[in-house]
Amino acid sequence: MDNKTLQEHAKRVALELPFTEHCWPFGPEFDVFKVGGKIFMIMALAHGRPHVSLKSDPEKSLLNQQIYRGIEPGYHLSKKHWISLYGTDDVTPELVTDLINDSWNLVVDKLPKKDQKWIRPV
């Protein structure tokens, strides 16, 4: 998956998730996606390379970084809790979708229970 396709796919997947807000709190060069007022995805350029940064479980993050060339520690973010995806041949649309869903769920899981109930009804 190339960089442009990566970001287009990530944006489409993120906006399909319930209660996702797309905003630019850090300026027009950073596409930020939030749920419940908390960030779960950031799209930007890093040294001219488009990337998608996502929250990630620390253990899963380390494993994915070992498996996929296109997954690195979060660019300018907590290296423990964030990963950055880059367009490489081993990063597939299915992988990106799974990682975005994981990120969204990690953020929702940390919200107050009352907010979780209306964002993710049983």
Side-chain angles (χ1 to χ4, degrees):
M1 171 178 273
D2 65 43
N3 287 320
K4 183 178 180 200
T5 305
L6 168 68
Q7 286 193 327
E8 288 172 352
H9 178 73
K11 180 178 180 179
R12 187 170 48 255
V13 170
L15 290 174
E16 289 174 357
L17 293 169
F19 301 101
T20 294
E21 172 191 359
H22 183 196
C23 56
W24 298 265
F26 310 121
E29 61 276 4
F30 296 95
D31 284 281
V32 174
F33 298 82
K34 297 179 178 184
V35 62
K38 303 292 183 184
I39 298 171
F40 72 92
M41 184 171 94
I42 301 171
M43 291 190 326
L45 290 177
H47 304 291
R49 292 171 59 199
H51 72 277
V52 174
S53 293
L54 301 163
K55 291 210 55 116
S56 183
D57 172 76
E59 290 180 16
K60 191 172 182 180
S61 170
L62 291 173
L63 180 62
N64 282 332
Q65 289 173 53
Q66 292 173 353
I67 296 171
Y68 302 101
R69 286 183 305 108
I71 299 180
E72 298 178 8
Y75 181 76
H76 278 291
L77 297 161
S78 165
K79 307 299 185 220
K80 182 177 180 182
H81 296 282
W82 286 84
I83 54 174
S84 290
L85 311 179
Y86 296 90
T88 58
D89 56 357
D90 61 347
V91 173
T92 65
E94 296 78 20
L95 175 63
V96 174
T97 299
D98 288 346
L99 293 172
I100 291 169
N101 283 317
D102 287 351
S103 180
W104 186 90
N105 280 301
L106 281 170
V107 170
V108 172
D109 289 346
K110 296 290 185 188
L111 295 173
K113 296 288 184 201
K114 65 179 177 69
D115 293 341
Q116 289 180 37
K117 285 181 182 177
W118 63 262
I119 290 173
R120 197 172 40 201
V122 179

